[in-house]
Amino acid sequence: MGDFLYRTKGDKVIWAIVVFLSLVSLLAVYSATGSLAYRERGGHTEYYLLKQLTVLVMGLLIIYFAHRVNYTIYSRVAQIGFIISIPLLIYTLAFGSHINDASRWIRLPIINLTFQTSDVAKLAIFMYVSRQLSKRQHVITDLKKGFLPIIIPVGIICVLIMPANMSTALLLGASCMLLCFIGRIPVKYLAAMMAMGAGLVLLMFVVAKVSGMEGRTKTWLKRIEHFTNKENSETPYQVQQANIAIAGGGFLGKGPGNSTQRNFLPHAYSDYIYATIIEEYGIFGAFLILMAYMLLLLRCIRIYRKCPYAFGAFLALGLSVTLVIQALTNMAVNVGVFPVTGVTLPMVSMGGSSVIFTSLAIGIILSVARNVEEMEGKKAEQERIARVLAEQEEEEEYEEA
């Protein structure tokens, strides 16, 4: 155990944030699923708690082993991951499991487990964009040599994710745009790409309406209509229950396990787990969760500034940005600031593949942090040796004098 802890490197604050969010996840998931487990599992109220505990332990192990790998290895697998993501997303659209008119999951045949292929694609595209930004800095302002080779793969992945999960596609596109902006791609190129993306979304709605194959677009339109015209539209049921949960939380909340809206709020353990947390831990608890993600972003910005190599810097910042944007979006939806989406709260919401791939992303960030830490340690050691040698020379000169 001591050797295990000794070999655990990287940013200690990020490690602490991961542990904190994992503990919050266990408490919130247990509270939100107690009644559900009792009904569905014959009185076994701890079923989902044990399941989430297993997933989180797997996630922590993934973080540990991923952070032990030199982050330059991820540059080599970035292109492979991007290439694999395309057929996976196409297969998911054609043959994936359909839930609420959305095909987001595929089932692994032997072990009979499902996972969202968009999680694989998100991780792969951020590694790919980070690699391309680092390699093309000398031509980054050139449209053909710098911008298009980076943005076209992003567009392909977003287009393939969009039919089943528009919110994920939009967040992924926005995160990649932000990373490209930090990577010195001209604003005029990014603005043109955003305009094209908006046009593509509008075209998709028009085609769906004309062809009669509305599918998920009907759900999206209802959500947008409610959000933009709340006075003249019926409030969605989940929004009503989330508002009741938040109103009942107050400043310090009702206490752990005392939520009442968990029995009425749909997906109180995943999409709306933040509302459950507010009800039980109040505004104070909600603020702690928000600060944890903000601190994660600040620590990753610190890694970005200290990393001497462009790939590691872009990788750490890009992965942290997408995690924090996802977290902020989930919180905004829960408190009614954004329209309803299917975005979960990273490392807190109950889930399988989402926790696994989030853990892998955090492990990669910690891998960059570990290498930065080691380089700083070597530099400090060299400075200490130089200082000792200088002191010895001064002593020798003094003795000779």
Side-chain angles (χ1 to χ4, degrees), residues 62-63 198 200-201 228 263 265 286 298 316 341-342 361:
I62 288 172
I63 292 174
L200 180 63
V201 172
T228 56
N263 299 316
L265 182 59
L298 288 175
T341 66

Side-chain angles (χ1 to χ4, degrees), residues 104-362:
R104 303 178 185 178
W105 296 265
I106 61 174
R107 188 175 298 276
L108 300 177
I110 299 176
I111 58 178
N112 199 33
L113 290 177
T114 59
F115 73 97
Q116 289 196 56
T117 50
S118 60
D119 290 328
V120 181
K122 285 193 297 183
L123 190 58
I125 195 63
F126 271 105
M127 290 194 294
Y128 182 83
V129 171
S130 299
R131 172 188 170 91
Q132 293 300 319
L133 282 173
S134 63
K135 289 181 63 178
R136 299 178 185 275
Q137 281 299 299
H138 62 290
V139 291
I140 201 65
T141 57
D142 187 275
L143 177 63
K144 293 183 179 179
K145 296 180 180 179
F147 179 64
L148 293 181
I150 296 174
I151 210 64
I152 288 176
V154 174
I156 292 172
I157 295 297
C158 289
V159 166
L160 291 175
I161 293 176
M162 188 178 295
N165 198 342
M166 177 177 281
S167 56
T168 297
L170 293 177
L171 291 177
L172 178 60
S175 301
C176 288
M177 289 290 183
L178 180 58
L179 185 58
C180 289
F181 174 75
I182 296 170
R184 298 192 308 114
I185 285 182
V187 175
K188 60 181 179 181
Y189 296 158
L190 297 177
M193 193 63 192
M194 290 174 64
M196 289 178 61
L200 180 63
V201 172
L202 181 61
L203 179 63
M204 185 180 67
F205 278 107
V206 172
V207 171
K209 190 71 175 178
V210 172
S211 63
M213 300 175 62
E214 293 182 288
R216 290 290 292 172
T217 58
K218 189 175 181 179
T219 303
W220 298 332
L221 286 172
K222 283 184 178 179
R223 292 174 176 177
I224 294 171
E225 180 183 356
H226 159 69
F227 185 75
T228 56
N229 190 16
K230 294 181 179 181
E231 295 182 358
N232 299 322
S233 61
E234 184 180 352
T235 303
Y237 178 76
Q238 63 266 45
V239 176
Q240 294 178 10
Q241 300 305 317
N243 291 338
I244 295 172
I246 293 169
F251 183 73
L252 294 176
K254 298 179 178 179
N258 292 327
S259 169
T260 55
Q261 292 309 115
R262 64 189 174 188
N263 299 316
F264 307 99
L265 182 59
H267 305 291
Y269 47 83
S270 57
D271 296 1
Y272 279 90
I273 198 166
Y274 193 60
T276 305
I277 291 172
I278 295 175
E279 184 181 11
E280 294 190 348
Y281 301 95
I283 297 174
F284 178 74
F287 178 76
L288 289 181
I289 302 293
L290 175 61
M291 287 301 100
Y293 288 108
M294 291 295 97
L295 185 57
L296 171 65
L297 181 60
L298 288 175
R299 299 302 293 185
C300 291
I301 291 174
R302 178 177 176 271
I303 295 170
Y304 166 79
R305 295 179 63 182
K306 289 195 170 188
C307 186
Y309 302 109
F311 174 70
F314 289 132
L315 189 61
L317 187 61
L319 291 175
S320 64
V321 163
T322 187
L323 290 177
V324 173
I325 287 179
Q326 179 180 333
L328 293 177
T329 301
N330 175 272
M331 296 176 194
V333 169
N334 276 244
V335 300
V337 177
F338 278 5
V340 176
T341 66
V343 176
T344 56
L345 194 59
M347 291 302 294
V348 176
S349 295
M350 188 175 77
S353 64
S354 61
V355 173
I356 297 302
F357 286 102
T358 298
S359 299
L360 183 54
I362 294 173

Side-chain angles (χ1 to χ4, degrees), residues 69-85:
V69 177
N70 192 305
Y71 72 86
T72 56
I73 301 296
Y74 298 114
S75 175
R76 302 173 192 172
V77 302
Q79 287 182 306
I80 299 174
F82 167 67
I83 294 171
I84 292 175
S85 297

